């Protein structure tokens, strides 16, 4: 407790330890961590700037890339600034309200990004399986409406998480062994009955991740069926290239989340600092790589960025 120089019984404060066991290396960990964050901000803001300035990029696919960039900025900014304050200045304390607010934005942006990836899969399905009707099915207005639906869904489904925790009692143990306020970590330090919280969190995972992955899988099953019907090798290659970037981004988004969820529940043999380090990298590495992937795989966007 002395290391935090604050009373553990302060009813309005939680304590974030950073990365347990690696406190002495926090300053060194912050160097790549802050560099990745700066690169991710530059890359995503560049995508937003280029698409907003170039009239030729005002198309559904690029609107979706902009939505992905917004969520990348949101998901990294929800975590990184506070983590850097811990690494650089040992500012470990966070108010209960601040903790629950960070939790809400973190999980809401995650749910929003999952919805964007589903919409991207639908976009690729229409582009490959029904290209002649693409411009009439997926208009800019319809993409914006789908984005708003994803945002509303994220807010409505995530809002109960911090509201339920705000009613829980927190006793002597107010230390969260992490750099950010994750729902599971906060629920673990409650001295009340968190059965409802845990059950609802499971519902959120099933609805956001399970349902979205099912829709994405269905889209790609239909896309694969369409591949086998394409006779032209050139057309086949073009269709494959349109999906590559989305597949890479999707794998970087879902695989670390699934790994993190499994280790939280069943990975007692994994050292805490390993799990937390990987979880923190998840918030900076995919947002840093996503603009690079779409810049490399989307010729029109790449050309405009170079220009």
């Amino acid at each position: 407790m002395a290391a935090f120089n604050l009373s553990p019984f302060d009813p309005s404060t939680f304590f974030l330890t950073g990365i347990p066991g690696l406190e002495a290396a926090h300053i060194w960990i912050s160097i790549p961590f802050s560099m990745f964050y700066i690169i991710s901000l530059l890359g995503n803001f560049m995508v937003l700037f280029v698409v907003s300035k170039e009239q030729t990029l005002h198309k559904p696919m690029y609107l979706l890339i902009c939505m992905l960039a917004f969520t990348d900025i949101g998901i990294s900014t929800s975590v990184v600034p506070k983590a850097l304050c811990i690494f650089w200045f040992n500012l470990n304390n966070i108010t209960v309200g601040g903790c629950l607010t960070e939790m809400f934005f973190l999980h809401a942006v995650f749910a929003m990004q999952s919805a964007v990836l589903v919409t991207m899969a639908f976009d690729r399905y229409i582009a490959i399986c029904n290209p002649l009707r693409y411009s009439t099915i997926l208009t800019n207005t319809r993409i914006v409406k789908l984005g708003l639906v994803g945002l509303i869904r994220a807010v409505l489904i995530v809002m109960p998480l911090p509201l339920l925790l705000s009613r829980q009692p927190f006793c002597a143990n107010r230390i969260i062994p992490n750099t950010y306020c994750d729902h599971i970590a906060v629920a673990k330090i409650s001295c009340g009955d968190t059965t409802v919280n845990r059950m609802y969190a499971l519902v959120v995972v099933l609805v956001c991740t399970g349902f979205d992955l099912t829709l994405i899988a269905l889209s790609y099953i239909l896309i694969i069926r369409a591949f086998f019907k394409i006779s032209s090798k050139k057309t086949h290659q073009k269709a494959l290239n349109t999906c590559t970037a989305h597949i890479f981004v999707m794998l970087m988004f879902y695989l670390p989340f699934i790994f993190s969820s499994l280790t939280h529940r069943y990975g007692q043999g994994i050292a805490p600092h390993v799990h937390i380090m990987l979880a923190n990298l998840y918030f900076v590495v995919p947002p840093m790589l996503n603009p690079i992937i779409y810049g490399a795989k989307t010729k029109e966007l790449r050309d405009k960025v170079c220009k």
Side-chain angles (χ1 to χ4, degrees), residues 28 77 82 100 115 123 163 170 172 204 225 231 245 249 275 279 294:
W28 299 106
T77 303
K82 180 58 183 178
L100 296 178
D123 171 79
L163 291 179
F170 295 95
V204 171
R225 285 179 58 190
S231 56
V249 170
H275 171 75
Y294 271 103

Side-chain angles (χ1 to χ4, degrees), residues 167-286:
R167 302 175 63 183
Q168 289 291 326
F170 295 95
C171 305
N173 178 20
R174 308 181 71 84
I175 299 174
I176 302 172
N178 212 327
T179 60
Y180 60 92
C181 291
D182 179 66
H183 176 264
I184 296 176
V186 177
K188 282 182 177 179
I189 65 172
S190 171
C191 53
D193 184 7
T194 59
T195 303
V196 175
N197 301 69
R198 293 173 184 273
M199 292 299 294
Y200 186 76
L202 182 60
V203 170
V204 171
V205 171
L206 290 176
V207 171
C208 283
T209 308
F211 180 68
D212 290 354
L213 279 174
T214 301
L215 292 178
I216 291 172
L218 179 61
S219 297
Y220 273 95
I221 288 171
L222 296 174
I223 288 171
I224 291 169
R225 285 179 58 190
F227 276 160
F228 289 114
K229 297 178 181 179
I230 298 174
S231 56
S232 170
K233 186 175 181 181
K234 184 178 180 180
T235 307
H236 190 281
Q237 186 63 37
K238 183 179 179 181
L240 183 63
N241 284 337
T242 62
C243 296
T244 306
H246 179 255
I247 292 171
F248 281 144
V249 170
M250 187 175 59
L251 290 175
M252 287 193 303
F253 179 76
Y254 285 113
L255 288 182
F257 169 75
I258 293 171
F259 171 80
S260 178
S261 297
L262 291 175
T263 53
H264 257 306
R265 289 169 173 80
Y266 311 111
Q268 288 79 9
I270 299 176
H273 67 270
V274 173
H275 171 75
I276 293 171
M277 180 74 80
L278 291 174
N280 277 273
L281 288 174
Y282 170 70
F283 295 115
V284 289
V285 174

Side-chain angles (χ1 to χ4, degrees), residues 11-246:
S12 64
T13 306
F14 288 144
F15 302 96
L16 297 165
T17 63
I19 302 178
L22 297 178
E23 289 85 357
H26 274 177
I27 193 66
W28 299 106
I29 295 170
S30 71
I31 296 173
F33 199 65
S34 57
M35 287 178 60
F36 292 161
Y37 179 55
I38 292 170
I39 294 170
S40 72
L41 290 181
L42 290 175
N44 285 293
F45 275 119
M46 180 177 290
V47 168
L48 294 172
F49 176 78
V50 170
V51 174
S52 66
K53 290 295 183 181
E54 293 290 340
Q55 290 291 331
T56 57
L57 298 181
H58 292 181
K59 300 175 183 178
M61 183 176 73
Y62 298 104
L63 289 180
L64 287 170
I65 292 175
C66 285
M67 290 181 188
L68 183 68
F70 269 120
T71 56
D72 280 337
I73 293 169
I75 205 166
S76 57
T77 303
S78 296
V79 172
V80 176
K82 180 58 183 178
L84 291 178
C85 287
I86 296 171
F87 293 157
W88 290 342
F89 310 114
N90 291 323
L91 297 177
N92 303 80
N93 59 305
I94 184 171
T95 64
V96 174
C99 184
L100 296 178
T101 301
E102 181 186 55
M103 179 196 305
F104 168 75
F105 279 105
L106 175 61
H107 292 293
V109 174
F110 177 91
M112 179 62 191
Q113 190 165 41
S114 184
V116 171
L117 291 174
V118 173
T119 310
M120 282 181 158
F122 180 63
D123 171 79
R124 293 301 85 204
Y125 160 69
I126 299 297
I128 293 170
C129 299
N130 208 341
L132 297 179
R133 297 185 59 199
Y134 179 84
S135 59
T136 57
I137 296 175
L138 284 181
T139 61
N140 288 347
T141 302
R142 190 158 291 168
I143 290 297
V144 171
K145 288 180 179 178
L146 288 173
L148 288 175
V149 169
L151 177 61
I152 293 169
R153 183 194 75 159
V155 171
L156 292 179
I157 199 170
V158 172
M159 182 65 77
L161 289 176
L163 291 179
L164 288 170
L165 278 177
S166 67
R167 302 175 63 183
Q168 289 291 326
F170 295 95
C171 305
N173 178 20
R174 308 181 71 84
I175 299 174
I176 302 172
N178 212 327
T179 60
Y180 60 92
C181 291
D182 179 66
H183 176 264
I184 296 176
V186 177
K188 282 182 177 179
I189 65 172
S190 171
C191 53
D193 184 7
T194 59
T195 303
V196 175
N197 301 69
R198 293 173 184 273
M199 292 299 294
Y200 186 76
L202 182 60
V203 170
V204 171
V205 171
L206 290 176
V207 171
C208 283
T209 308
F211 180 68
D212 290 354
L213 279 174
T214 301
L215 292 178
I216 291 172
L218 179 61
S219 297
Y220 273 95
I221 288 171
L222 296 174
I223 288 171
I224 291 169
R225 285 179 58 190
F227 276 160
F228 289 114
K229 297 178 181 179
I230 298 174
S231 56
S232 170
K233 186 175 181 181
K234 184 178 180 180
T235 307
H236 190 281
Q237 186 63 37
K238 183 179 179 181
L240 183 63
N241 284 337
T242 62
C243 296
T244 306
H246 179 255

